[in-house]
Amino acid sequence: MNDSIEQRVRLAAASALDKKATDLDILAVGALTSIADYFVLCSAGNERQAQAIADNIVELLKKEMGVRPLLVEGATPGRWVLLDFGDFIVHVFTEDARRFYGLERLWGDAPNVTAELTGAADARAFKKTS
């Protein structure tokens, strides 16, 4: 497959945003762990939306790039859905689950590359304004 990991990560991010995901962050964790090169994290307003976001990511990556997740965890109850694509992992959280688990804190040494992979203007556009 000649699609780059960055292209797959960008498509995953875009498909999450298509379903109104909020607070999307992309962390470059490859220098810190061997489990993946990137984590894509995003929030959903409720469990139903979290599942819709996860389903859309799986569907678009399969349709556009022929890629399927190696593992899907947490589809029921949907507070935290993990999609493992091998070289990147997507975490779709309800807002309270994201605060509780705090992956950004746990992986605080990982560079946030959201702007680099999505474009600075896009990164600002989908960040939730508090």
Side-chain angles (χ1 to χ4, degrees), residues 1 3-16 25-30 33-41 57-58 60-62 65 67-71 82-91 113 117:
M1 175 180 305
D3 294 320
S4 75
I5 180 175
E6 288 82 11
Q7 289 173 312
R8 295 189 302 274
V9 168
R10 278 188 203 103
L11 182 58
S15 55
D25 282 308
I26 302 169
L27 304 179
V29 297
T33 182
S34 61
I35 61 171
D37 292 328
Y38 295 98
F39 283 173
V40 178
L41 300 101
I57 293 167
V58 169
L60 281 177
L61 279 165
K62 179 181 170 191
M65 298 187 159
V67 176
R68 296 172 192 238
L70 304 173
L71 177 69
L82 180 144
L83 306 171
D84 183 349
F85 287 94
D87 44 13
F88 70 98
I89 298 173
V90 179
H91 302 270
V113 295
L117 289 181

Side-chain angles (χ1 to χ4, degrees), residues 91-110:
H91 302 270
V92 183
F93 295 96
T94 58
E95 293 168 3
D96 59 330
R98 186 167 180 177
R99 279 190 303 273
F100 180 80
Y101 290 105
L103 290 190
E104 289 93 344
R105 288 188 308 276
L106 291 173
W107 293 95
D109 292 341

Side-chain angles (χ1 to χ4, degrees), residues 11 23 81 102 107 129:
L11 182 58
D23 291 337
V81 181
W107 293 95
T129 54

Side-chain angles (χ1 to χ4, degrees), residues 46-67:
N46 57 52
E47 293 173 7
R48 182 177 293 189
Q49 184 189 15
Q51 191 59 57
I53 292 166
D55 290 346
N56 199 50
I57 293 167
V58 169
E59 181 180 321
L60 281 177
L61 279 165
K62 179 181 170 191
K63 178 181 173 188
E64 300 290 326
M65 298 187 159
V67 176

